[in-house]
């Protein structure tokens, strides 16, 4: 069984994330989408809400499962017998940041990191920008799954 993890905050998932998850699901037998529980960072959606959203938008992939984790990602990988992490790279600055994390994660545990170039259609996309645009009434349809679009409008309306 070839397993891989797609980790992140997913607050909320964007079409860029979904593209990476879907492409990973075509390459691996099992993809675990792992949502970081980060008590230090404020979020728009709770971890459980994000998990429910992720489960809904990935339901057509029968080899994708969604879990939450706290602490080190490599500990989660070891506990779940996952030998590799997939990370999407949008721009060169992502690579600078991700390379250091990949090397540290390998040094800590031997868990590998594989970089997947983001679909150029989504290379400008991030959860933070999506929230900002939605908060000020901009149109984020096409940038996030339809469910997320609806939930963003509901959550941010009047705030
Ligand atoms: O979507 P994000 O916020 O960019 O995802 C970052 C994430 C969750 C993948 C990263 O912060 C992470 O792996 N956090 C867990 C703590 C950890 O293992 N840190 C790595 C030290 S080298």
């Amino acid at each position: 069984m070839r397993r891989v993890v797609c980790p992140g905050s997913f607050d909320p998932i964007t079409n860029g994330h979904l593209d990476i998850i879907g492409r990973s699901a075509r390459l691996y037998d099992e993809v675990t989408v792992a949502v970081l529980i980060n008590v230090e960072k404020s979020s728009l959606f709770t971890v459980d809400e994000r998990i429910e959203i992720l489960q809904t938008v990935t339901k057509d992939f029968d080899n994708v499962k969604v879990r939450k984790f706290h602490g080190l990602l490599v500990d989660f990988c070891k506990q779940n017998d996952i030998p590799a992490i997939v990370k999407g790279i949008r721009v060169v600055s992502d690579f600078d940041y991700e390379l250091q994390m990949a090397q540290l994660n390998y040094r800590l545990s031997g868990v590998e990191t594989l970089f997947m170039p983001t679909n150029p259609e989504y290379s400008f996309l991030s959860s933070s920008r999506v929230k900002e645009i939605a908060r000020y009434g901009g149109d984020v349809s096409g940038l996030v799954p339809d469910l997320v679009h609806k939930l963003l409008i509901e959550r941010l309306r009047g705030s």
Side-chain angles (χ1 to χ4, degrees):
M1 174 78 94
R2 290 170 310 142
R3 294 193 178 92
V4 78
V5 65
C6 289
S9 302
F10 303 107
D11 186 43
I13 183 171
T14 67
N15 284 344
H17 292 130
L18 198 54
D19 179 64
I20 297 288
I21 294 166
R23 287 159 62 200
S24 301
R26 284 196 291 276
L27 291 172
Y28 289 89
D29 298 319
E30 187 180 271
V31 176
T32 302
V33 180
V35 183
L36 175 67
I37 303 168
N38 187 350
V39 286
E40 279 153 32
K41 201 167 148 189
S42 66
S43 60
L44 184 61
F45 296 100
T46 67
V47 170
D48 289 336
E49 285 171 335
R50 282 178 262 159
I51 286 182
E52 209 179 313
I53 294 168
L54 281 159
Q55 280 168 339
T56 306
V57 301
T58 60
K59 68 177 185 325
D60 291 339
F61 302 110
D62 54 16
N63 58 340
V64 173
K65 57 187 192 178
V66 185
R67 298 287 183 269
K68 56 187 164 188
F69 76 103
H70 58 84
L72 292 178
L73 176 60
V74 292
D75 289 341
F76 175 83
C77 291
K78 289 280 167 201
Q79 284 151 15
N80 292 279
D81 200 17
I82 300 173
I85 301 162
V86 167
K87 287 289 188 79
I89 300 288
R90 294 165 298 186
V91 289
V92 174
S93 55
D94 277 355
F95 185 71
D96 278 350
Y97 172 77
E98 294 293 348
L99 179 64
Q100 186 188 26
M101 199 139 63
Q103 289 169 328
L104 273 166
N105 281 334
Y106 183 77
R107 173 66 187 258
L108 282 172
S109 64
V111 171
E112 298 282 4
T113 299
L114 304 159
F115 295 128
M116 187 178 279
T118 298
N119 183 328
E121 210 182 324
Y122 305 123
S123 59
F124 50 81
L125 198 50
S126 72
S127 300
S128 326
R129 289 288 167 249
V130 160
K131 282 183 282 193
E132 189 175 49
I133 295 165
R135 182 167 288 121
Y136 295 112
D139 182 11
V140 295
S141 56
L143 304 181
V144 291
D146 290 345
L147 169 65
V148 173
H149 186 211
K150 176 177 150 287
L151 293 173
L152 274 171
I153 291 170
E154 278 173 21
R155 182 70 42 108
L156 294 170
R157 187 178 292 154
S159 69

